[in-house]
Amino acid sequence: MSIKVAIVEDSTRVRESLAALIGGSDGFRCVGTFPNAEAALAGIPKEWPDVILMDINLPKMSGIECVSKLKVLRPALQIIMVTVYIENEKIFQSMVAGASGYLIKQTPPAEILEAISDVHRGGSPMSSHIARKLVQYVAQVAQVARPAEKMELSPREHEILCLLAKGYQYKEIAESLTISVETVRTHLRNIYEKLHVRSRTEAVVKFLEQKGT
Amino acid sequence: MSIKVAIVEDSTRVRESLAALIGGSDGFRCVGTFPNAEAALAGIPKEWPDVILMDINLPKMSGIECVSKLKVLRPALQIIMVTVYIENEKIFQSMVAGASGYLIKQTPPAEILEAISDVHRGGSPMSSHIARKLVQYVAQVAQVARPAEKMELSPREHEILCLLAKGYQYKEIAESLTISVETVRTHLRNIYEKLHVRSRTEAVVKFLEQKGT
DNA sequence: CTCGGGATACTACTTTCGGGGGATAGGGAA
DNA sequence: TTCCCTATCCCCCGAAAGTAGTATCCCGAG
């Protein structure tokens, strides 16, 4: 059973050469070519392909949005984004929309076919350069969720941190506790040190995380 | 200039065959082999390699923890995790710890060398299977964060708010998104307006609350 | 008793924020 | 086309936050 592929690409030349590549290769079958997202949304549901090669930059509706809509209709669709150059933002947007792979247009024919069967097998073909971006993103996001080590705050410090977490300013905290702003500063300085943070925002985030735990 | 590689691997056979492969290939030089994390932490700082092949499962201290410690000492270190089979959790932990690539032990020699030079060039060599896991993770994370924006924040604003919630300063947000501080300030003003708050702390608290919901 | 930690307070200084203006380019809606 | 929204960028300015060093008072542990 050959893999059914559809192509969404506004450049006629690229579209036809891709179609020729796929149509002329064993194990692949081109079941549709579309010059824009609108045509794709209208035509693809008529004969669902296994894999779609989707240009990112399409006139009017972008390829990314098109992916979103198609994925809603058929989540099992495997989609490879195709573009001329690497755009970090669009990579992420594509991933979020539901695309699985990412190809540069000048990719050699053999690799394009390899990517198609790869994504069909459940992989995510992409250059290692793009993969690096993903790795960095994951590492960054996970940093936030990292468990915060809790530290022994004195009752007074805890009290002040609570007020801080309500968005109070130094002045307001001072008034509310009937102490001077300077004292608030001193406490905050100690709190920051204990929590290993450098700003009220970080302190509040840690505080709320711990509270929720 | 050849790429200096160190190997951390408890199996003597695997370690030596990797060392032989690297030592016997043009453009690569093996500058150290270690049977465990402790030895690696002691020996690697003596002659910093460019790339480290790190076994994930080591006796006592895990390869992941070893990566963390080494990365602190030298963030520029490029590390490829090596393991016998794919373990999702460990992949993510490794990424968070600071590893860039991920190899299965039975990878052909040529691909191992390719992966080393790849990571040295700034890529993240990994199988497309693993890449898929990353893609799913990214998509999932973004999905969770999306419904939280009942407050009509634009995607960009949401992104900035996320970074703000990590305790980033304007300057850091600007750098991380490759935009100017002024733009960040403008976005923040709009965000404050939409959320009806007047400070980062309040905005972050609202954000975290809504996220948890 | 002395020592240390917590709570209080002050001076002085630097950096970051938040609020006020505008401005431009591109995309989509009216 | 015009109008609005989004995203981008810039300037000014005062207020708030953060850094550093110091100092008093009280209380409990050693």
Side-chain angles (χ1 to χ4, degrees):
Chain A
M1 187 59 183
S2 55
I3 301 174
K4 290 184 287 182
V5 182
I7 299 165
V8 187
E9 162 68 58
D10 60 338
S11 154
T12 306
R13 212 181 65 250
V14 174
R15 190 173 64 246
E16 290 179 351
S17 75
L18 281 173
L21 168 67
I22 290 161
S25 304
D26 279 351
F28 300 89
R29 191 151 55 87
C30 183
V31 300
T33 64
F34 309 90
N36 58 58
E38 291 75 12
L41 287 174
I44 286 179
K46 287 179 187 162
E47 179 172 15
W48 287 105
D50 299 306
V51 177
I52 296 178
L53 294 179
M54 174 79 67
D55 189 8
I56 283 203
N57 295 300
L58 295 171
K60 292 187 191 167
M61 188 191 300
S62 77
I64 295 170
E65 198 176 340
C66 186
V67 167
S68 281
K69 294 183 190 296
L70 287 171
K71 267 290 190 176
V72 171
L73 295 175
R74 173 164 293 222
L77 253 189
Q78 295 302 315
I79 300 167
I80 299 175
M81 305 307 284
V82 182
T83 191
V84 281
Y85 50 92
I86 294 179
E87 302 156 285
N88 291 334
E89 269 310 304
K90 300 213 167 165
I91 296 175
F92 288 119
Q93 288 170 15
S94 302
M95 300 293 160
V96 173
S100 298
Y102 206 94
L103 279 184
I104 302 299
K105 280 192 185 171
Q106 71 240 28
T107 305
E111 284 183 35
I112 292 179
L113 294 177
E114 173 54 30
I116 293 172
S117 47
D118 192 351
V119 80
H120 189 241
R121 280 195 308 269
S124 273
M126 64 177 71
S127 77
S128 73
H129 198 254
I130 293 170
R132 171 66 72 109
K133 299 293 178 189
L134 278 177
V135 170
Q136 287 170 344
Y137 179 80
V138 169
Q140 188 203 9
V141 168
Q143 292 286 304
V144 199
R146 183 179 42 187
E149 78 274 38
K150 72 166 182 214
M151 186 62 60
E152 288 303 317
L153 290 184
S154 77
R156 194 56 157 176
E157 287 168 347
H158 187 266
E159 204 177 353
I160 287 176
L161 188 48
C162 281
L163 295 175
L164 200 75
K166 290 183 185 167
Y168 282 35
Q169 298 183 339
Y170 288 0
K171 204 191 298 180
E172 297 171 319
I173 296 176
E175 280 166 16
S176 141
L177 296 180
T178 334
I179 56 179
S180 85
V181 173
E182 308 309 324
T183 308
V184 176
R185 277 191 205 290
T186 306
H187 282 305
L188 261 302
R189 209 195 306 173
N190 296 330
I191 292 172
Y192 289 174
E193 196 180 341
K194 286 182 180 177
L195 296 182
H196 303 120
V197 298
R198 324 184 42 74
S199 74
R200 61 189 293 128
T201 306
E202 286 180 273
V204 166
V205 169
K206 280 212 173 186
F207 173 73
L208 292 178
E209 274 174 0
Q210 241 171 278
K211 207 171 138 193
T213 306
Chain B
M1 189 54 185
S2 55
I3 301 174
K4 290 183 287 182
V5 183
I7 299 164
V8 187
E9 162 67 58
D10 60 338
S11 152
T12 307
R13 211 182 66 249
V14 174
R15 189 171 66 246
E16 289 179 352
S17 77
L18 282 173
L21 167 68
I22 290 160
S25 303
D26 278 352
F28 300 89
R29 192 150 53 88
C30 184
V31 299
T33 64
F34 309 90
N36 57 59
E38 292 74 12
L41 287 173
I44 286 179
K46 287 179 186 161
E47 178 171 14
W48 286 106
D50 299 307
V51 176
I52 296 178
L53 295 180
M54 173 80 66
D55 189 8
I56 282 202
N57 295 300
L58 295 171
K60 291 186 192 170
M61 189 190 299
S62 78
I64 295 171
E65 197 176 340
C66 187
V67 168
S68 280
K69 293 182 189 296
L70 287 170
K71 266 291 190 175
V72 171
L73 296 174
R74 174 163 292 222
L77 254 191
Q78 295 303 315
I79 300 168
I80 299 176
M81 305 307 285
V82 182
T83 192
V84 280
Y85 51 92
I86 293 179
E87 302 157 286
N88 292 333
E89 263 315 299
K90 300 214 166 164
I91 296 174
F92 289 120
Q93 288 170 13
S94 302
M95 300 291 161
V96 173
S100 298
Y102 206 93
L103 278 184
I104 302 298
K105 278 189 186 173
Q106 70 243 28
T107 304
E111 282 181 35
I112 293 179
L113 295 177
E114 174 54 28
I116 293 172
S117 48
D118 191 352
V119 80
H120 188 241
R121 282 196 305 268
S124 275
M126 63 177 72
S127 77
S128 73
H129 220 100
I130 294 171
R132 170 68 71 111
K133 299 291 178 190
L134 279 177
V135 169
Q136 287 170 342
Y137 179 79
V138 169
Q140 183 210 343
V141 167
Q143 290 291 310
V144 178
R146 191 126 313 190
E149 50 173 294
K150 287 191 164 190
M151 31 213 185
E152 305 159 358
L153 289 185
S154 75
R156 195 55 157 177
E157 287 168 346
H158 184 269
E159 204 175 353
I160 286 175
L161 187 48
C162 279
L163 295 174
L164 198 76
K166 290 182 196 165
Y168 282 34
Q169 297 184 340
Y170 289 0
K171 204 195 299 179
E172 297 171 321
I173 295 176
E175 280 166 15
S176 137
L177 296 180
T178 333
I179 56 178
S180 86
V181 173
E182 298 306 322
T183 307
V184 175
R185 289 161 51 67
T186 305
H187 282 305
L188 260 300
R189 261 188 292 170
N190 296 332
I191 291 172
Y192 290 173
E193 171 81 21
K194 287 181 180 176
L195 297 184
H196 309 293
V197 297
R198 36 192 58 261
S199 75
R200 60 194 297 122
T201 306
E202 287 180 271
V204 166
V205 169
K206 277 211 174 186
F207 172 72
L208 292 178
E209 275 173 357
Q210 214 140 341
K211 202 170 139 195
T213 306

